[in-house]
Amino acid sequence: MAAASQDLPADLPVIRVRDLSRHVGERVVLRGWLWNQRGKGRLWFLLLRDGSGIVQCVVKRDAVGDDCFEAARSLTQESSFSVWGEVRADERARGGHELVVEGLTVHQRAEGYPITPKEHGVGFLLDHRHLWIRSRRQAALLRVRHRVAMAMREWLDAQGFVCVDAPIFTPNACEGTSTLFEVDYFGRPAYLSQSGQLYEEAAAMALGRVYSFGPTFRAEKSKTRRHLTEFWMLEPEIAFADLDEVCATAEGMVRHVLREVVDRCEADLADLERDPDDVLAWDRPWPRLRYHDVARQLVAWQEEERYQSEFTPGDDLGAPDETVLGEEYGCPVFVTHWPAEVKAFYMKRDPEDPSLALALDVIAPVAGEIVGGSVREEDEAELRRRIREHDLPEESFEWYLDLRRFGSVPHGGFGIGLERTVSWITGVEHVRECIPFPRTIQRLTP
Ligand code: 4AD
Ligand code: MG
């Protein structure tokens, strides 16, 4: 191959596919991998992908000569190469541009790339996740994921939030002891963080409005399309906030995310066959429902045989219940004022009905719960009682109780799962495709 490769012309700008529109009529260099190719006779089309897009490169034997033409033809799927020539605007071409090739250099010829255009089973694809992420849909998903995370942070930044990172090795549980990953921390037990919340509460008392964003871990035995054992969560925490303010923050932030994804990920949504209007349809005020009203409604729908579920009032919502809510409202809904028994120890009780927690979940169509949050119990004695009731080791929460001893104030916050949010927005139903390298109960590789 080397014989057919030509030296890169040093005088040409090296650009990326996404920037082609700014170089129409100019000669440029593109670098990337072969996504696909076709052609016949004296005309060959190379589809080059460079991570920012895919462009058709037109190779004419008469223009480039036999050696270069043969080099182009001999490229295999995922071979890496650089190519140069003139950028031409062309309505019919993918992305509206093509490159009229003058020469190319092969970096490496790939032999037997395992993921071919034919259908593969998802197990096979997940085993080859390190390569699968090169495919069009998967790369689009990763770009949308990036945009979702950026947009969340931008919105919070504009509202004066400060990102405060929470530790991953933690001495105690935040979200119940049944899903803790224990690790040996120099001879004593430590747990991988289930949530940064307790630390964000400390940070909120220092900085007012804060959030953490990082990986969180749950030893979930669930094999559903919504559960990962390692997922990314963004957790805002707000001093002096009540339930309304926590809800407004979640809604404001996520609606900003929807607009940003539609504005900036047009091509990615197209690759994912997602209609932007469907996404924008959720950019309207979200209904705020109380748990007991929802429970009544669900029971009525079961009786009418609208759907089937084992739900009875007092239970947490299951997948069928979340699904039917999504169908009914067609947009995310808040479910607030939950029975305290199904919620975490730190949640404040409703002063008007202490059997209820001032908790909120956001249930999104198809994806289910994307946000969970609450107002936090701010009274030391009450919180201590809860810690005991939940059989949590009191001594490892002394630092947390300090927050209620030194200038305790009403406060609240929420956590939003990045993968569930991406899954919801893109319509890709399984969260394992919404994280670069998924970790589930059955999967630790690649
Ligand atoms: O409802 P969760 O458990 O809430 C908390 O962890 C709170 N401490 C957050 C807070 O108030 N700061 O989790 C929050 C969100 C869920 O709504 C969901 O989006 C996501 O985290 N999540 C998961 N995502 C993927 N796989 C799992 N196993 C998940 N568990 C929760
Ligand atoms: Mg939850």
Side-chain angles (χ1 to χ4, degrees), residues 72 82-83 87 89 133 226 240 243-244 275 306 396 429 440:
S82 295
V83 63
V87 181
I133 53 176
R226 297 170 181 175
F240 300 102
L243 190 61
D244 270 346
D275 184 343
R306 172 166 173 179
S396 61
E429 286 191 17
T440 61

Side-chain angles (χ1 to χ4, degrees), residues 45 61 71 97 110 115 200-201 239 298-299 308 414-415 420 430 439:
F45 300 99
R61 188 187 283 272
H97 301 92
I115 303 176
E200 295 318 295
E201 289 185 53
L298 292 176
V299 170
Q308 286 198 334
F414 64 89
R420 292 229 190 131
H430 210 301
R439 296 290 175 252

